[in-house]
Amino acid sequence: MQIDSRDRIVFAAGPFEAFIDRRQDDLRGEEVATLMVPEDRVLMGQCLKLVRRKGRASGEVVRLYRPRGAPLSMDFAGYTLDQQSFIALRLTSHRGYGARDGIPRDPQSGLLPPQAFSELASGKIKQSQETGQDFGVTVIDLPGLGGLCDRLPSPGALGLLRSVGASLRACAFDDNSATEIAQGRYGLVHDGAADLEALRHDLSEIVRQHDPDGEEGRVETSAIDLEGIDQIDEGDLAKGLIYAINQCQRADGAAISLRMLSTSIPQLVHQGINEVALFRRVVANRSFDIVLQPIVSLSTGDIHHYEALCRFDSSRPDLSPYRAITFAEETGLIHDFDLAMAEKVLGWLSGKPRNSDAYRVAVNISGFSIGVDSYVKGLLDLLRAEPWTKGKMLFEITESSKMTDLDSANSFIGSLRDSGYQVCLDDFGAGAASFQYLSALEVDVVKIDGSAVRNAMRGPKGLAFLSALTELCRRLGVTTIAEMIDTKESLDFVRSCGCDFVQGYLFGRPSADLKSFQPLPNLGLLRGSPDRLRGRAGLS
Ligand code: C2E
Ligand code: MG
Ligand code: MG
C-alpha cells in the first residue's frame, strides 16, 4: 500500500477481497488504521509514524479487522522513499511476540524479560564501548500506565501495552534492547543519538489516545550514569544488570523515584557483581552446609529418606537459603551450585554405612540447571564414578517452570532413573503448569507444595481436588509426598486425601544432626485411624 502524509491509502494491491471483504479500489482515501481491530489502531498509527521518522520500520504484528471471522495477524513492514511511504502486510508465520526468533518475550508488549535483556544489553554496551560507539541506558517511567491498564477493558489494555512496546523497541538499539523493569517502568539501551524527546512525546500520545479524558500521559525519562562499567567483564555486567533490575522489581516500584533509581542502578550493578563474586567463592570453597529433614511414610511411620537443604550461615540453621538460591538462578550460577551440593551430599553419604537403608538423601536440582549441558554431564559423570550411591540418592526438580525444553528434561530424568536414581517433581501445585509437567515428565514421585496443601485446606473443594490428584498419581504409578505439614490438622487432611508420605516441622525442622529425628517427634499422631489409610509405599 502507498499512503499519504495523513495515513490515508493512495494505492492498495493484494487479496483484500478474500481477507477483509473489501475491493482494493474502494480502499483509496481510507485511513489505514481503520482496517485494523480497534485495539490495534493506535499501534498502527505508531508504526506509520516510525516509518516516516526513521525511514523504515518492521517487526510489529497488527491485526486486520474482518467483518466475518476472526482478525488476521499480519507482519508489518514499511519504508519511506522520497517522502512517499509504502507499507506491506503479510500473514504472520508466528503466533504473537512470544514465539519470535527463539527469544522469549513478554507476550503483551513484545519486550524482553530482564534476564535476556541484561545479557543482550551488556553485550551491546561492551560492543559499543569497544567500537567507540556512543550509547545510553535510560529508564522510562509512565506513572499512570498501571492504573490505566486496570481501568481499560482487557483488549484495550493489551493494545496499549503493544503500542508502548513498539515505541520503546523502535527507539532501542534494536529489537532486543528494551525491557519492562516493573509495571510502567522500562529500561532501554539506545544509540547516543536516539531521539528520546520524540519517544516521550509518542508515549504520552499513546497513553492519551487510550484515555482521552484522563491525565495519565505523564512520561519521565532518566539517563543512567554507567561510569566505571568499562572495567567490568561482559558476563559480570549482565549478571549485575539482572541483579539491579530484579532489586528494582522487588522494591515497591512506585516508592523509588526515577532519580533515585538512575543513581542507584550503577550502585546496584556493582553490588550485584560483588554478590556474584561472593557466591562463586562460596561454591568454589564449598563453604555452605547441609541440613536434613525427614520424609515420613504415612503407612508405617518410618523415615524413608531425608531432603538435603543448603544453608549459607552455619550459625543459623533455620535461615532459609531461598534468597540466595533465587539470586543464583537469576544470575545463571545455580548449576554450579547444584553440582557442588550433589558432591557435598555424596561426601556425607560416603561416611555412612553402605549396607544400611537409614541413609537416603534427596538433592534439589533447579529447573535452570537441567538446561545446562555441563551440569547434566557433570552430575551423570559424578554418579557413574560412585555407583554405590544408587538408591541412596534421589533428586527433586524445583522451579520446573524454568525448564525450557521438556523433551531434554525428560531425557535427563530418564538417564537418572535408568541409572537407579528416583526423581521427584518438587513444588507441585505451586505454579499453573504443574499438570503439564506431570504429564510430560516421567517421574517417580510428586511433592505437593505446602502452599497447595494450605489452599486445599481452605475451601470445600480442596479435599476433592487433592484426593483426585493422589488418585491420579496412584494410577500413574507416582508416589505422593505432602510438604510443610506442621500441624495435626494438615497431617489429618493430607492423610484423608490419600497422600503416601509427609514432610514438615511436625516431624522435625531441618537439622544437621540426624539424632534430632530419633525418636521421630509426634510419631504418635500417625497411630490414629486415618480416614483412608491405604498402606502403600511406592518408594523403593
Ligand atoms: P523446597 O525444596 O520445596 O524445600 C522445602 C522447604 O520447606 C524448605 O525451606 C524447608 O525448610 C521448608 N519446610 C519444611 N517443613 C516446613 C513446614 O512444616 N513449614 C514451613 N513453613 N516450611 C517448611 P528452605 O530450606 O528454606 O528452602 C527453600 C527452598 O530453597 C527449597 O524449597 C528449594 O527450592 C531451595 N533449596 C534449598 N536447598 C537447595 C539446594 O541445595 N539446591 C537448590 N537448587 N535449591 C535448594
Ligand atoms: Mg525440595
Ligand atoms: Mg517443595
Side-chain angles (χ1 to χ4, degrees):
M1 279 186 248
Q2 185 185 349
I3 48 169
D4 70 13
S5 58
R6 291 184 306 150
D7 296 351
R8 291 179 198 280
I9 298 170
V10 177
F11 166 79
F16 288 97
E17 222 160 328
F19 278 3
I20 56 170
D21 235 359
R22 301 275 302 269
R23 295 206 0 234
Q24 59 191 44
D25 293 341
D26 296 345
L27 294 173
R28 196 167 305 136
E30 185 144 344
E31 214 181 306
V32 186
T34 58
L35 301 183
M36 305 296 134
V37 297
E39 308 86 72
D40 284 4
R41 288 180 188 161
V42 174
L43 174 62
M44 181 46 117
Q46 192 58 29
C47 291
L48 298 176
K49 205 186 265 186
L50 293 170
V51 167
R52 275 196 210 94
R53 191 185 299 151
K54 297 179 72 174
R56 61 174 56 233
S58 60
E60 294 310 319
V61 176
V62 286
R63 288 165 300 165
L64 267 181
Y65 171 75
R66 288 200 301 166
R68 283 188 282 263
L72 284 178
S73 292
M74 315 292 282
D75 282 324
F76 172 91
Y79 66 94
T80 296
L81 197 68
D82 294 337
Q83 317 237 325
Q84 312 233 45
S85 298
F86 302 88
I87 64 167
L89 297 174
R90 269 199 0 215
L91 268 179
T92 183
S93 53
H94 45 73
R95 278 179 290 139
Y97 294 115
R100 265 157 60 174
D101 54 19
I103 302 173
R105 284 157 201 281
D106 179 74
Q108 294 185 324
S109 61
L111 299 174
L112 285 196
Q115 183 142 354
F117 167 77
S118 304
E119 280 159 18
L120 288 159
S122 60
K124 288 225 175 64
I125 292 171
K126 283 285 145 189
Q127 191 187 342
S128 57
Q129 279 173 340
E130 277 154 25
T131 55
Q133 196 182 349
D134 190 16
F135 76 98
V137 180
T138 297
V139 180
I140 296 136
D141 254 12
L142 293 150
L145 193 76
L148 180 53
C149 282
D150 291 344
R151 276 188 284 121
L152 288 175
S154 67
L158 184 62
L160 170 61
L161 292 174
R162 279 156 49 98
S163 304
V164 167
S167 300
L168 289 166
R169 277 181 286 122
C171 189
F173 247 165
D174 63 23
D175 226 25
N176 293 326
S177 306
T179 189
E180 183 182 48
I181 296 177
Q183 195 178 42
R185 177 167 281 173
Y186 301 92
L188 197 65
V189 181
H190 53 84
D191 199 294
D195 190 348
L196 291 170
E197 203 38 56
L199 173 68
R200 274 165 76 127
H201 179 266
D202 285 355
L203 290 173
S204 173
E205 189 73 358
I206 289 167
V207 173
R208 212 183 43 72
Q209 281 172 310
H210 282 87
D211 186 33
D213 308 323
E215 291 174 359
E216 309 283 22
R218 192 154 55 90
V219 180
E220 293 165 20
T221 57
S222 184
I224 291 183
D225 171 16
L226 287 171
E227 207 174 317
I229 59 159
D230 44 343
Q231 318 295 336
I232 302 168
D233 115 337
E234 182 177 322
D236 280 353
L237 178 59
K239 290 182 171 62
L241 267 175
I242 296 167
Y243 175 84
I245 291 174
N246 287 329
Q247 289 302 104
C248 299
Q249 285 179 327
R250 247 167 238 141
D252 176 10
I256 310 182
S257 77
L258 201 59
R259 190 184 306 214
M260 259 163 71
L261 186 69
S262 57
T263 48
S264 61
I265 278 200
Q267 280 169 15
L268 285 170
V269 168
H270 282 105
Q271 195 175 318
I273 289 162
N274 290 340
E275 291 218 16
V276 165
L278 183 71
F279 192 86
R280 282 205 181 114
R281 261 201 309 279
V282 166
V283 175
N285 301 336
R286 307 285 188 265
S287 48
F288 57 89
D289 298 307
I290 307 175
V291 287
L292 298 156
Q293 190 180 28
I295 282 77
V296 180
S297 161
L298 282 177
S299 54
T300 64
D302 293 337
I303 295 176
H304 180 271
H305 67 273
Y306 300 88
E307 177 176 9
L309 297 156
C310 61
R311 292 294 181 260
F312 294 104
D313 183 344
S314 55
S315 64
R316 298 166 72 189
D318 262 351
L319 187 68
S320 175
Y322 191 73
R323 211 193 70 82
I325 293 288
T326 311
F327 167 77
E329 286 178 335
E330 287 165 355
T331 48
L333 300 170
I334 191 68
H335 58 94
D336 284 339
F337 175 76
D338 278 348
L339 199 54
M341 184 71 178
E343 276 176 28
K344 196 139 190 157
V345 168
L346 199 151
W348 183 88
L349 280 169
S350 68
K352 305 292 172 207
R354 292 199 182 168
N355 57 1
S356 165
D357 275 348
Y359 306 101
R360 285 188 286 224
V361 181
V363 180
N364 285 287
I365 301 176
S366 163
F368 277 107
S369 302
I370 290 179
V372 180
D373 292 345
S374 64
Y375 170 80
V376 169
K377 183 173 181 312
L379 182 70
L380 295 175
D381 285 352
L382 181 72
L383 299 178
R384 219 168 282 131
E386 311 283 351
W388 59 270
T389 55
K390 281 182 196 180
K392 294 194 175 300
M393 285 175 87
L394 302 85
F395 294 93
E396 290 187 14
I397 301 174
T398 69
E399 291 294 329
S400 325
S401 60
K402 303 302 167 351
M403 290 184 294
T404 46
D405 176 353
L406 287 187
D407 286 339
S408 62
N410 219 2
S411 78
F412 168 67
I413 292 171
S415 315
L416 284 176
R417 295 180 74 209
D418 292 347
S419 316
Y421 301 89
Q422 292 201 318
V423 178
C424 169
L425 193 56
D426 204 353
D427 309 320
F428 190 91
S434 295
F435 280 98
Q436 188 199 340
Y437 300 130
L438 178 58
S439 127
L441 305 174
E442 298 293 328
V443 293
D444 304 282
V445 187
V446 154
K447 199 184 253 192
I448 304 162
D449 194 65
S451 64
V453 172
R454 275 175 203 163
N455 284 339
M457 284 174 75
R458 237 176 260 142
K461 293 183 185 167
L463 182 92
F465 270 106
L466 211 53
S467 304
L469 170 65
T470 60
E471 182 55 34
L472 172 67
C473 288
R474 202 177 316 283
R475 289 188 186 196
L476 295 173
V478 170
T479 303
T480 48
I481 302 174
E483 197 187 58
M484 292 199 199
I485 300 306
D486 50 6
T487 59
K488 181 174 180 310
E489 288 68 39
S490 53
L491 175 67
D492 290 346
F493 180 78
V494 297
R495 272 180 112 184
S496 52
C497 292
C499 289
D500 302 310
F501 290 84
V502 285
Q503 174 182 4
Y505 293 164
L506 202 59
F507 302 105
R509 287 181 172 258
S511 163
D513 183 3
L514 294 193
K515 290 204 189 77
S516 326
F517 314 116
Q518 294 157 2
L520 195 66
N522 291 312
L523 193 56
L525 293 178
L526 290 176
R527 294 214 186 93
S529 59
D531 299 346
R532 283 177 50 190
L533 190 57
R534 295 192 178 227
R536 73 175 193 123
L539 281 168
S540 52

